[in-house]
Amino acid sequence: MERHQTLGEFIIENQKDFPYAKGELSALLSSIKLAGKMVNESINKAGLAQILGKIGRENVQGESQAKLDLLANDVFVSTLKNRGEICGIASEELEDFIAFEDEIHKEAKYIVLMDPLDGSSNIDVDITVGTIFSIYRRISPVGTKVTKEDFLQPGKNQVAAGYIIYGTSTILVYTTGNGVNGFTFDPGIGSFFLSHPSIKFPKEGCIYSVNEGNYIHFPKGIKKLIKWMQELDNASKRPYTARYTGSLVADFHRNMLLGGLYLYPQGTTSPKGKLRLLYECNPMAFLAEQAGGKASDGENRIMEIIPSELHERAPFICGNSEMVAIAERFIGEMTKD
Ligand code: AHG
Ligand code: MN
Ligand code: MN
């Protein structure tokens, strides 16, 4: 009987895309796979294992931390450290990046930035959450201690990026710049199997995802765009359908598979929106582009932005190319006024 390819087999088969690579990236992706399985296990039994709820502390961005935020952070940091394929890591849950200083790690070429648990306000109410990761080659010389500049690279320098969605099933989706593939976890066997090969946004989309509760704070162009998406026009299948979970991973995943537009624009109280450029916007932008979509801050390609802070935010508009282009047009027309 023919069976699906496992993620491990896929990673090894695709190592040939990197003729000069020595297999470190493959090993790093395997470490992410392992940590993902461990976090998945904890999420599945969260209600029974007393790891639901908040810890009563805030992260560096002033957001209250959930127990699972910290658990996921610890699992990823320790797993990636133990395997020795990275020289440093930065995470939403850590104020500063961690430089791994022993010889093995200093010899490593890669750094990782991550959102260990995305959508954490959804944990306690049993709605889909995710993990987002972004991988770069270091700029500093191999053999030295990793520096902040290694982490502050524009998204276009990403070597790989992806997410794990802990939904009705658990799926790991990633790209190394050669298309996007998704692997569904089989809990009975304990392996991820290729279930979504070569994912592409459908040509047309008719879903929009935005926290409309913030409408009053949005720029004029975004307000007009939302009203336009709600207008009746049979030819362009409007009004569009509104779908928003509050987990970027879930909203992105659905829109990539079904066709749609995700928006987290700036608002009067949040001049750069909410999402973090380095470990939310950039990895999703890389995936979007590799799946034939687009990601913009309303004006610029997300992956061109030169970051200046680890936890900096950016307005985020992402989805089918044509829908993002329409959104940019609405924003552009308003800024001309
Ligand atoms: P996190 O849980 O990692 O802090 O991320 C939450 C993010 C993102 O997943 C989601 O799209 C957005 O915040 C939701 O924000 P609102 O609740 O403001 O809509
Ligand atoms: Mn997040
Ligand atoms: Mn998070």
Side-chain angles (χ1 to χ4, degrees):
M1 188 182 76
E2 207 194 327
R3 68 158 173 84
H4 291 291
Q5 194 174 25
T6 68
L7 175 54
E9 289 164 353
F10 184 91
I11 290 171
I12 290 172
E13 191 182 301
N14 287 278
Q15 206 170 293
K16 63 177 178 334
D17 294 343
F18 302 94
Y20 304 108
K22 296 200 197 89
E24 291 111 314
L25 181 61
S26 300
L28 173 52
L29 291 167
S30 291
S31 314
I32 290 172
K33 176 181 80 175
L34 173 64
K37 285 187 205 176
M38 293 160 79
V39 170
N40 180 55
E41 181 65 12
S42 298
I43 288 172
N44 284 339
K45 59 180 186 212
L48 304 170
Q50 308 202 321
I51 46 173
L52 288 178
K54 308 278 180 211
I55 55 157
R57 269 209 323 262
E58 291 183 343
N59 65 16
V60 62
Q61 298 141 83
E63 296 160 342
S64 80
Q65 290 177 305
K67 291 180 197 164
L68 269 169
D69 279 325
L70 294 189
L71 185 142
N73 185 68
D74 289 350
V75 168
F76 274 97
V77 171
S78 59
T79 305
L80 298 187
K81 184 178 181 205
N82 288 351
R83 294 281 184 104
E85 289 106 12
I86 54 172
C87 45
I89 187 165
S91 154
E92 178 188 355
E93 303 307 332
L94 302 170
E95 186 162 352
D96 208 350
F97 66 88
I98 304 178
F100 298 133
E101 292 201 47
D102 50 274
E103 287 314 311
I104 290 185
H105 292 99
K106 283 203 289 193
E107 289 300 322
K109 306 204 271 264
Y110 297 106
I111 60 126
V112 167
L113 287 131
M114 64 187 319
D115 179 354
L117 205 80
D118 172 67
S120 45
S121 67
N122 282 332
I123 299 167
D124 291 1
V125 288
D126 234 343
I127 297 176
T128 298
V129 291
T131 292
I132 309 173
F133 59 90
S134 169
I135 301 173
Y136 293 81
R137 212 166 275 120
R138 67 188 297 174
I139 301 172
S140 56
V142 167
T144 63
K145 187 176 159 188
V146 76
T147 67
K148 196 163 184 180
E149 282 56 51
D150 293 314
F151 292 90
L152 297 183
Q153 299 188 53
K156 64 182 179 191
N157 289 3
Q158 287 172 106
V159 173
Y163 58 80
I164 304 168
I165 178 166
Y166 311 101
T168 44
S169 54
T170 295
I171 307 179
L172 190 152
V173 175
Y174 82 103
T175 183
T176 51
N178 200 8
V180 178
N181 293 283
F183 301 80
T184 301
F185 185 60
D186 182 330
I189 296 169
S191 297
F192 288 93
F193 290 92
L194 181 60
S195 51
H196 297 69
S198 303
I199 305 174
K200 292 280 173 212
F201 278 91
K203 271 213 170 57
E204 286 178 0
C206 51
I207 295 172
Y208 74 99
S209 310
V210 63
N211 185 343
E212 245 175 301
N214 293 330
Y215 185 86
I216 194 76
H217 298 294
F218 289 154
K220 266 196 198 152
I222 296 286
K223 285 181 176 163
K224 280 212 149 191
L225 169 69
I226 292 174
K227 289 298 163 212
W228 179 84
M229 293 191 291
Q230 295 170 344
E231 268 170 22
L232 180 67
D233 175 31
N234 293 331
S236 58
K237 300 204 178 93
R238 284 181 287 140
Y240 294 159
T241 297
R243 288 281 184 276
Y244 188 74
T245 65
S247 287
L248 170 64
V249 168
D251 288 316
F252 178 92
H253 185 73
R254 182 201 48 249
N255 290 355
M256 181 168 65
L257 295 184
L258 301 182
L261 181 70
Y262 179 92
L263 303 159
Y264 210 113
Q266 62 272 56
T268 46
T269 49
S270 52
K272 292 183 100 185
K274 176 182 183 191
L275 298 182
R276 276 56 56 112
L277 174 63
L278 291 177
Y279 41 84
E280 291 179 318
C281 306
N282 273 336
M284 291 317 203
F286 191 16
L287 289 160
E289 289 193 7
Q290 285 294 317
K294 220 175 140 165
S296 159
D297 68 357
E299 222 177 314
N300 312 297
R301 179 180 175 225
I302 284 289
M303 290 203 288
E304 298 284 345
I305 300 173
I306 309 284
S308 48
E309 291 297 333
L310 221 44
H311 297 289
E312 86 180 56
R313 298 173 196 263
F316 193 54
I317 298 172
C318 177
N320 285 59
S321 291
E322 209 172 301
M323 294 176 105
V324 175
I326 290 171
E328 286 180 323
R329 225 158 39 233
F330 271 92
I331 294 164
E333 275 162 23
M334 287 298 139
T335 48
K336 274 189 251 147
D337 289 353

